[in-house]
Amino acid sequence: MAQGTDRALYGRVFHRNICWQRSYERVEGEEIIMALYGSLRDGLHNSRRLNLPKRSDFLGITTIKGYALYSLGAYPAVYPDENSYVIAEVRRFSGKKQLEVAKSIDYMELFGGYHREYLDFEIEQQKIKGFIYVYDEKPETEIIKHGDWVRYLKEKELPE
């Protein structure tokens, strides 16, 4: 492979390649936990399209420190920033049918310019291990200071 095209798991970061396929060869009973901050949040376009409320388990809302939220137009991106935070919906995917949905999300994100970063999330004082999709390059748009994509969309609808 040419240099730069081979992507793998480096520390807590997962990039696309053959590992993507292997990550879904899971034994029955295993699960994937994702923190979703954009169009995959409840009520938004990709959540409705994939029917996430019925095809995954909602675990709660969390605040993820150390990442900034950016608007890329119709959808957001997050990128590391020690002075910022992102509001995310945490969902669990388990069992064959739910893991197929997770695989669809992964394909959309990993081949759309994002990679996984594994983190510990806190929901109601409980630590949960999972991952968030992080944009591969720092966006050249303004940071959404409050870190909440749903709130940002609602604010955009209001007349100035």
Side-chain angles (χ1 to χ4, degrees):
M1 273 191 164
Q3 186 177 8
T5 59
D6 183 25
R7 307 258 177 152
L9 179 64
Y10 299 104
R12 63 188 183 104
V13 177
F14 179 95
H15 289 279
R16 59 190 172 269
N17 78 348
I18 192 69
C19 294
W20 175 74
Q21 287 292 349
R22 289 187 190 138
S23 72
Y24 289 93
E25 295 171 1
R26 297 176 175 273
V27 295
E28 195 65 33
E30 285 200 40
E31 62 187 24
I32 291 176
I33 296 177
M34 296 180 189
L36 307 172
Y37 54 83
S39 66
L40 290 161
R41 283 186 61 187
D42 191 39
L44 299 183
H45 171 72
N46 280 319
S47 176
R48 290 190 316 268
R49 183 176 67 83
L50 295 169
N51 197 12
L52 292 184
K54 292 187 178 177
R55 299 173 80 193
S56 63
D57 301 315
F58 175 75
L59 301 180
I61 300 290
T62 191
T63 300
I64 303 170
K65 295 177 183 169
Y67 293 87
L69 183 70
Y70 298 84
S71 174
L72 300 180
Y75 54 91
V78 300
Y79 196 80
D81 181 304
E82 65 183 44
N83 298 315
S84 299
Y85 61 90
V86 174
I87 307 299
E89 176 178 304
V90 181
R91 291 199 163 270
R92 175 178 46 227
F93 298 84
S94 60
K96 186 173 180 166
K97 287 185 180 181
Q98 287 189 0
L99 287 173
E100 284 300 316
V101 174
K103 189 174 183 179
S104 296
I105 293 170
D106 224 24
Y107 184 84
M108 176 177 71
E109 301 291 348
L110 295 176
F111 292 92
Y114 296 80
H115 62 271
R116 295 182 197 163
E117 288 194 15
Y118 290 83
L119 305 168
D120 290 325
F121 309 120
E122 191 170 310
I123 299 174
E124 297 177 8
Q125 301 173 358
Q126 181 183 1
K127 294 266 189 207
I128 299 172
K129 290 190 178 297
F131 63 84
I132 187 170
Y133 293 104
V134 176
Y135 207 54
D136 288 341
E137 299 176 19
K138 184 175 182 181
E140 295 183 16
T141 58
E142 189 175 341
I143 292 174
I144 299 169
K145 297 277 186 212
H146 56 66
D148 187 337
W149 184 247
V150 172
R151 177 178 161 191
Y152 173 77
L153 291 177
K154 286 179 183 172
E155 291 172 352
K156 275 183 53 175
E157 291 174 5
L158 297 175
E160 293 187 37

